[in-house]
Amino acid sequence: MDTITDPSIEMQQLAKKIQQCCSCELSSTRTHIVVGTGIIPSTLMFIGEAPGKNEDQQGIPFVGRAGKIFDQLLNSIQLHRNNVYITNILKCRPPKNRNPTIHEITRCSTWIDQQLKIIQPQVIAPMGSFATHYCCSKFNITFTTIGSMHGIPMKITHRKFTGTLYPLYHPAATIYNNQLKHTLFDDFKKLNKILSTIL
Ligand code: URA
């Protein structure tokens, strides 16, 4: 007989394992592991790139400058961190916020795969090239550029995920680029429409 497990408890158990991860060299420079935050399960799952300095200090995703923009984006469509799930491809901060390496992504991906199973989202919104590239390779879609893929919903039928993949620019990319910020806010409006068709 199958045992029915509460997804929040499953996530707590997974978080304990993630907290002990030493499978790449980032474990030696991190202050905190950033597992993720939000409601479990969740219709909508955001995936960022990796913790930055503030996230590493606090153990919470998107609490720095990019996080402020992210909160504004959520609020612009009447959402809040408590209504969605937010995590990153990498759970530990790369030193000096350098790009994640393929080795680190490969090692860390075991965690996001397990999070995905627990969260059971209907919409996955990867933010930025690294997260979008990761999702595309996971679901057998060709990644081109974030500039050509953002704001375009894609129906995915894959053994690991059935639902909509909706790539977005990374909020950090919009800090010094107002045009991109407008685009990102517009893409959030479209996201709201997508959500209204499934809720
Ligand atoms: N950038 C990310 O991709 N994730 C965070 O948690 C913070 C900044």
Side-chain angles (χ1 to χ4, degrees), residues 34 47-52 55 60-64 66-67 86-88 127 170 172:
V34 182
I47 305 178
E49 184 177 309
E55 291 78 17
I60 303 167
F62 285 96
V63 288
I86 313 157
T87 188
N88 288 302
M127 298 187 286
H170 194 288

Side-chain angles (χ1 to χ4, degrees), residues 46-123:
F46 288 97
I47 305 178
E49 184 177 309
K53 191 171 180 218
N54 295 287
E55 291 78 17
D56 176 64
Q57 281 167 357
Q58 296 182 43
I60 303 167
F62 285 96
V63 288
R65 283 183 83 181
K68 263 202 180 130
I69 299 172
F70 181 64
D71 284 335
Q72 288 167 6
L73 287 157
L74 286 176
N75 292 341
S76 74
I77 57 168
Q78 285 73 53
L79 283 179
H80 186 266
R81 282 169 181 257
N82 299 339
N83 316 123
V84 300
Y85 192 80
I86 313 157
T87 188
N88 288 302
I89 296 290
L90 294 191
K91 308 301 185 222
C92 298
R93 181 191 183 206
K96 299 186 183 158
N97 298 349
R98 64 155 169 75
N99 288 339
T101 66
I102 294 171
H103 172 74
E104 288 158 0
I105 292 174
T106 308
R107 285 302 178 99
C108 212
S109 65
T110 176
W111 302 130
I112 200 149
D113 287 355
Q114 293 178 65
Q115 286 179 301
L116 192 57
K117 259 196 207 163
I118 298 170
I119 298 297
Q120 292 286 314
Q122 294 181 56
V123 179

Side-chain angles (χ1 to χ4, degrees), residues 47-50 62 66-67 69 73 88 126-132 146 168-175 180 184:
I47 305 178
E49 184 177 309
F62 285 96
I69 299 172
L73 287 157
N88 288 302
M127 298 187 286
S129 309
F130 281 95
T132 303
I146 189 65
L168 295 164
Y169 279 118
H170 194 288
T174 74
I175 290 175
L180 222 55
L184 187 51

